[in-house]
Amino acid sequence: VPFQTAQVEKINMTIEAGKNHYSVYIGHHLWDSLLFQSEVKSKKIFIVTDEMVEKFYLKKFIDSLKDKYEINYFVLPPGESFKTVLMVEKIATRLLELNYSRDSTLVAFGGGVVGDLAGFLASIYKRGLSYVQIPTTLVAQTTAAVGGKTGVNHALLKNAMGTFYHPQCVIMDTAFLMSLDDRQFSNGLSEVIGYGLILDADFFYWLKSIIFDNTAREIQNLKKIVFHCCRLKKSIVEEDEQDNGRRAILNFGHTFGHAIESLTHYQSFLHGEAVAIGMRIALTLSQLLGWISVEEVQLVIDVLLKANLPVQLPQSITVNDLMTAIQKDKKNNENEQRFILLKSIGEAIISSRIPLELVRNAIESSYSFR
Ligand SMILES: NC(=O)c1ccc[n+]([C@@H]2O[C@H](COP(=O)([O-])OP(=O)(O)OC[C@H]3O[C@@H](n4cnc5c(N)ncnc54)[C@H](O)[C@@H]3O)[C@@H](O)[C@H]2O)c1
């Protein structure tokens, strides 16, 4: 149970040429009300969480803070389908009824859905109040809670509305990851493997070794995964907070992944699973361009499979469907289709001059394991 003191690693984030400074704390059994109190000086806090996190942790969490703060909370049903403006408005109604002002603090306690939604609300409620991220999934600890992107979905587009709004601090306790089921853990590993592929070959080969040894969930390895991903994300976000340039490389596999999610109506794959198939297509495309070898593509496919991630396009999606769907990607500029590809393992590039015939070929080769 993540409610004891532990060794803490700290990463200082400096965003927008120094205008935003905040700390990201990482540790196992790190949860400690003293750490929270050292950061949060308001009298009233409001926790946004979901039913799963409530079941595992909410009572203990509140008990650890209730002597110091006036606490209220809102529990969302779990899942992506509740990351909506409607939910934002419902929570805002509670905040207004309970007289929450701009000097109160919102606490996002949950996975990426809770983090994105609570962050969005924090950025607009009375034109902005402080919020703290306490991420509880591997996805949230390695990507969603760092970098200040908030947002909600629209029926026509995922993350259609959002803001850039940084938390006051992020407290990451890897002990929360112990209660994730295997599928959710693998879902998170997909993005983690992606970091290695785009930014850090040594990290990728280290991940390969712990995935093949089945030790990725060991505490030391979990801490290293979360810490290293946050360091990598920090380096990208500090360089390009508003996602106008290099931050786009974090979308490796996502153009195809988003299209696969939408073509399967968000029913067949979790996001990380669709991204795993998307990364496989992007790898094959990189290989067709002569940048990486057939052996390297196969190695990554083997790592993804060992991590219990899918790598094959389902037969229900045709090449034409996918070609049409990727053209709707939010990351496209007005006139050009951009692809995030690998020059080598550990080095991504953004390219808008890829012959569409090669893209078709890469998709055609991705219905099989090899
Ligand atoms: N803001 C960003 O930069 C960014 C980056 C990546 C992803 N995201 C967003 O993050 C969301 C996906 O995040 P996610 O994968 O964490 O999804 P999620 O928040 O839906 O959590 C996944 C599931 O795990 C459950 N859960 C949460 N913590 C748990 C715990 N400790 N033990 C057991 N179960 C637990 C949740 O109830 C849910 O059912 C998407 O909406 C995506 O758009 C945002």
Side-chain angles (χ1 to χ4, degrees):
V1 186
F3 291 93
Q4 306 157 17
T5 327
Q7 203 191 341
V8 184
E9 310 263 14
K10 188 169 150 190
I11 298 179
N12 292 314
M13 298 283 294
T14 307
I15 309 289
E16 262 187 59
K19 266 192 268 158
N20 278 299
H21 289 281
Y22 60 97
S23 299
V24 178
Y25 301 96
I26 299 163
H28 194 80
H29 286 311
L30 154 75
W31 176 255
D32 176 342
S33 59
L34 291 177
L35 177 59
F36 187 91
Q37 283 171 52
S38 71
E39 289 277 352
V40 178
K41 301 299 176 197
S42 56
K43 288 198 191 68
K44 287 172 80 165
I45 63 173
F46 190 94
I47 302 165
V48 180
T49 190
D50 77 10
E51 282 165 9
M52 195 75 104
V53 180
E54 175 190 33
K55 183 178 94 182
F56 285 113
Y57 305 111
L58 187 62
K59 184 174 181 314
K60 275 204 145 173
F61 185 68
I62 290 178
D63 284 350
S64 70
L65 296 171
K66 68 181 181 204
D67 293 344
K68 306 289 173 205
Y69 300 95
E70 183 186 329
I71 304 175
N72 290 285
Y73 60 89
F74 188 98
V75 182
L76 292 154
E80 191 68 40
S81 55
F82 297 97
K83 204 175 96 174
T84 59
V85 170
L86 188 68
M87 280 297 165
V88 169
E89 195 171 7
K90 274 193 176 177
I91 304 172
T93 305
R94 285 290 306 281
L95 290 172
L96 291 167
E97 285 167 356
L98 295 163
N99 282 323
Y100 273 79
S101 61
R102 290 190 62 184
D103 49 13
S104 313
T105 303
L106 208 63
V107 179
F109 184 38
V113 165
V114 165
D116 277 12
L117 185 142
F120 183 59
L121 172 61
S123 72
I124 55 173
Y125 181 77
K126 298 190 174 175
R127 299 207 173 79
L129 82 169
S130 298
Y131 78 116
V132 172
Q133 287 270 21
I134 306 189
T136 60
T137 62
L138 188 59
V139 170
Q141 294 195 355
T142 54
T143 84
V146 177
K149 278 191 186 176
T150 81
V152 292
N153 300 327
H154 186 283
L156 297 180
L157 184 69
K158 206 179 148 187
N159 293 327
M161 292 159 284
T163 53
F164 289 98
Y165 193 68
H166 294 277
Q168 183 179 343
C169 71
V170 187
I171 302 177
M172 304 206 180
D173 190 333
T174 48
F176 288 126
L177 307 180
M178 294 300 162
S179 50
L180 283 182
D181 66 30
D182 288 344
R183 189 172 177 201
Q184 287 294 349
F185 188 78
S186 291
N187 182 48
L189 272 185
S190 174
E191 305 268 3
V192 170
I193 293 166
Y195 274 113
L197 293 174
I198 58 168
L199 283 166
D200 189 337
D202 289 345
F203 183 53
F204 171 76
Y205 286 108
W206 175 75
L207 286 169
K208 169 187 162 263
S209 67
I210 60 166
I211 287 169
F212 275 96
D213 293 351
N214 288 317
T215 57
R217 290 191 86 152
E218 286 185 3
I219 293 168
Q220 286 313 318
N221 290 339
L222 274 184
K223 276 186 12 182
K224 185 166 169 186
I225 289 172
V226 172
F227 186 71
H228 201 72
C229 290
C230 289
R231 286 272 293 273
L232 292 172
K233 183 139 187 195
K234 166 189 154 87
S235 68
I236 295 285
V237 172
E238 286 181 350
E239 192 183 318
D240 175 24
E241 188 220 0
Q242 303 274 327
D243 205 358
N244 296 318
R246 199 166 133 75
R247 189 165 176 173
I249 66 168
L250 294 173
N251 285 301
F252 178 62
H254 285 63
T255 302
F256 297 110
H258 283 148
I260 294 165
E261 279 182 287
S262 114
L263 288 168
T264 50
H265 310 287
Y266 299 90
Q267 302 295 317
S268 310
F269 299 107
L270 297 174
H271 175 67
E273 294 170 341
V275 166
I277 304 173
M279 291 196 292
R280 186 266 170 94
I281 302 172
L283 282 158
T284 302
L285 186 50
S286 308
Q287 184 252 312
L288 293 175
L289 287 156
W291 294 335
I292 56 173
S293 68
V294 176
E295 291 73 25
E296 284 173 317
V297 176
Q298 195 54 50
L299 172 69
V300 180
I301 289 178
D302 291 343
V303 172
L304 293 170
L305 286 171
K306 185 71 186 162
N308 291 317
L309 287 161
V311 294
Q312 288 172 281
L313 258 179
Q315 295 293 341
S316 59
I317 297 179
T318 66
V319 179
N320 284 343
D321 289 344
L322 197 55
M323 288 297 289
T324 309
I326 57 173
Q327 280 153 29
K328 294 186 191 146
D329 195 82
K330 188 166 74 220
K331 304 285 170 192
N332 288 338
N333 293 339
E334 282 183 341
N335 302 316
E336 57 185 25
Q337 174 83 52
R338 287 196 302 172
F339 291 95
I340 318 299
L341 300 168
L342 292 196
K343 268 280 180 199
S344 61
I345 288 190
E347 191 196 347
I349 58 155
I350 305 168
S351 181
S352 51
R353 283 186 218 96
I354 305 298
L356 289 181
E357 219 25 59
L358 278 190
V359 180
R360 289 191 84 86
N361 291 348
I363 294 172
E364 270 158 15
S365 325
S366 299
Y367 289 95
S368 65
F369 278 117
R370 334 211 127 244

